Amino acid sequence: MTGDGRLVQALAWIARLPLCGDPELAGLIGVDGHDARRLIHELARRGWVETVEPGSPELELRRLAFVREDAIPALAAALCLDPAEIAGALPVRLRDTLERITRVEITVGVNRVLAGLAADVQRSGLAELADARSLPLALPPPERWWLPLVEGYGCLRAGPLHAPFLLAWDRAAAPNLYRRRRVAAWFAASAAVARHWGAEGLPPVLVVCPSTRVLRVWEEALSKQYDTEGAQLEVLLATREQLRSQGPGAATWRSPGRTQASPLVELIGWGQVPPVAATRLAEPFEQRPPPHRRGASLRERALAGATAHDGGPLWHRLGVLALATGPAEKALIEWVARHPLLSAADLAALLDTSEALIKRRLEWLTRCGAIRSAAATCD
C-alpha cells in the first residue's frame, strides 16, 4: 500500500473513532506505533486532523486525534456525501468530539477494544474488522439503528460473511441500578431498532465489564429479562482484565449463564452484508484538500472560554471544562462531588498535596464554574 493509502486508512479510522491515539491506530491498520504517530502527524500537517490531550485520573496523558471541524466539507466530498449527511454517518461534528472528551475514559476504552479486536483477528487470519465506529449523535432517535446506551458498533468480515455487533462499556463507578436500567432499555427498544436490520435481526451486544463481580450483576439482570421477554436480544460478556490480558479476539466472551468462554468469531452470528453502510475513502483523497489551521486550536479555545460563562448548550460547556482541566483538577472535582464542604486543608491531606497548590486549583475551578465555595459560619 502506498504512503497516501496508509493516510487514507488512518483518516478513515479517525473519522469513525474520534479521539483515537497512536496505539489504537496501529492496531486498526496493522502498523507499529512509530508509523501510527507519523501518520497522525502528517494528517495534522495536511489539515485533516487535530490532536488534544484530555487529562483524566484514569488514563495516561497522550495525544488523541479527531477530524477538524473545518475539514468536514472536504471529508464529505471525499466520501461523495453531502456535508449534512456525513454528520449522520460519522461522529465528526464538534458536539461529537466534545461529548466524547467529557467521557474520554469510555471513549478510549471502546477504541482500545476495537483496535485490539482488529489486530487479533488479523493475526488469526480468520476474519477482519471491516467497519467500526463511535455512534454519531446527529441522527434523531427514530432513525438510529443502534440500541440506546451503547457506545460503539463494529462488523467483522470473513469472505462473503459479515458479523455486526454493538459494544457497551461499563464503568466501574456505575451503580448496579444503572446496569439493570440499561438492560431494560435495550429490551424495550429492541423491536423498534430491529426494523432497521431486516431479516438478519438485531446484532449482539458485547458488554465490557469492569470486574467478574459486576459481570454477575449483568447476568442476573439479563436472566430476568430473558424470563419475561424471551431471548430477543443476544448479549455477550467479558471483563476488562480478560480483554487486556488475552485480547478481544481470544476466548474471552461468554453468554449469560455459561461458564465457558469462547472466541468472538465462534459466538457471533454470521450472515449477509449489514444494512449499516460502511464509509469508504478512495486514494487519492485530496482533490479538495481541507484548509490549513489558522488561529487557536480547540484546546486553546477551551482554555480561553472556560471562564467566560457565556451560556450555551450544556454539552459545549462540559466539553470546554473537560479540555481546560487536567487530571489533578478532575480528581479535585470528583472529591468535592462525592464529599461536599471539604476545606482546602482537607483536600490537601486526602490528595497528599500542598494546601497552597490545592487553593490555586480550587480558585481556577471556581472561575470555570465547576465548583462553588461556601463561607463557613459558626454559632
Side-chain angles (χ1 to χ4, degrees), residues 211-259:
S211 66
T212 303
R213 181 195 65 79
V214 170
L215 187 146
R216 288 195 288 269
V217 174
W218 281 95
E219 286 186 314
E220 292 170 4
L222 288 162
S223 296
K224 289 181 180 179
Q225 287 292 333
Y226 289 146
D227 290 342
T228 57
E229 304 286 345
Q232 60 187 10
L233 176 65
E234 182 183 7
V235 179
L236 301 174
L237 305 167
T239 67
R240 214 170 298 172
E241 179 55 37
Q242 288 174 315
L243 299 182
R244 184 165 44 240
S245 61
Q246 301 176 54
T252 51
W253 301 95
R254 61 185 177 90
S255 301
R258 301 187 64 178
T259 57

Side-chain angles (χ1 to χ4, degrees), residues 24-372:
E24 293 77 41
L25 188 61
L28 290 164
I29 64 178
V31 299
D32 62 28
H34 175 76
D35 285 339
R37 285 190 293 275
R38 182 186 58 78
L39 289 167
I40 291 173
H41 175 77
E42 181 61 19
L43 286 171
R45 189 189 68 80
R46 297 192 186 192
W48 286 104
V49 306
E50 190 175 327
T51 60
V52 292
E53 295 181 38
S56 166
E58 300 178 27
L59 300 172
E60 69 276 16
L61 193 64
R62 59 190 178 88
R63 304 200 72 81
L64 305 175
F66 63 95
V67 174
R68 290 177 57 236
E69 197 172 15
D70 289 343
I72 292 175
L75 181 64
L79 291 167
C80 299
L81 292 174
D82 183 270
E85 293 177 320
I86 195 174
L90 295 171
V92 292
R93 299 180 310 157
L94 178 62
R95 178 172 183 174
D96 288 293
T97 302
L98 287 179
E99 290 211 0
R100 282 164 179 81
I101 287 172
T102 63
R103 46 189 175 91
V104 66
E105 301 87 359
I106 296 175
T107 303
V108 170
V110 168
N111 288 353
R112 285 177 174 173
V113 170
L114 293 169
L117 180 60
D120 285 353
V121 296
Q122 185 180 48
R123 279 193 297 267
S124 71
L126 297 174
E128 66 172 324
L129 186 66
D131 191 10
R133 66 187 82 173
S134 289
L135 300 170
L137 303 172
L139 279 178
E143 297 179 28
R144 293 183 179 180
W145 40 265
W146 61 88
L147 293 169
L149 305 176
V150 298
E151 281 77 35
Y153 162 79
C155 183
L156 296 174
R157 180 173 60 207
L161 298 177
H162 291 72
F165 59 87
L166 299 169
L167 184 61
W169 184 271
D170 183 18
R171 291 199 70 176
N176 290 338
L177 178 61
Y178 177 67
R179 297 178 176 109
R180 298 184 185 104
R181 286 178 174 173
R182 284 180 89 171
V183 171
W186 293 345
F187 277 81
S190 59
V193 177
R195 289 197 289 267
H196 295 281
W197 291 88
E200 296 285 339
L202 276 173
V205 180
L206 313 185
V207 180
V208 180
C209 305
S211 66
T212 303
R213 181 195 65 79
V214 170
L215 187 146
R216 288 195 288 269
V217 174
W218 281 95
E219 286 186 314
E220 292 170 4
L222 288 162
S223 296
K224 289 181 180 179
Q225 287 292 333
Y226 289 146
D227 290 342
T228 57
E229 304 286 345
Q232 60 187 10
L233 176 65
E234 182 183 7
V235 179
L236 301 174
L237 305 167
T239 67
R240 214 170 298 172
E241 179 55 37
Q242 288 174 315
L243 299 182
R244 184 165 44 240
S245 61
Q246 301 176 54
T252 51
W253 301 95
R254 61 185 177 90
S255 301
R258 301 187 64 178
T259 57
Q260 183 66 38
S262 301
L264 185 60
V265 293
E266 296 180 10
L267 293 176
I268 202 166
W270 294 86
Q272 300 177 359
V273 178
V276 178
T279 54
R280 291 284 181 264
L281 278 168
E283 182 189 357
F285 68 111
E286 289 206 275
Q287 297 175 1
R288 183 184 169 188
H292 286 283
R293 181 168 68 86
R294 295 180 178 85
S297 67
L298 180 60
R299 178 170 172 77
E300 290 166 345
R301 298 202 308 271
L303 287 170
T307 59
H309 304 299
D310 56 355
L314 181 62
W315 61 264
H316 189 272
R317 287 182 281 135
L318 289 176
V320 165
L321 180 63
L323 273 178
T325 53
E329 289 83 9
K330 289 183 173 68
L332 266 180
I333 292 173
E334 186 171 354
W335 272 105
V336 172
R338 291 178 182 272
H339 307 282
L341 303 182
L342 289 174
S343 68
D346 295 332
L347 290 165
L350 288 167
L351 295 170
D352 193 22
T353 306
S354 74
E355 186 176 346
L357 182 57
I358 291 292
K359 285 181 176 178
R360 286 198 297 272
R361 288 172 177 164
L362 289 174
E363 180 185 354
W364 167 249
L365 291 173
T366 302
R367 289 173 57 204
C368 291
I371 63 172
R372 287 188 297 176

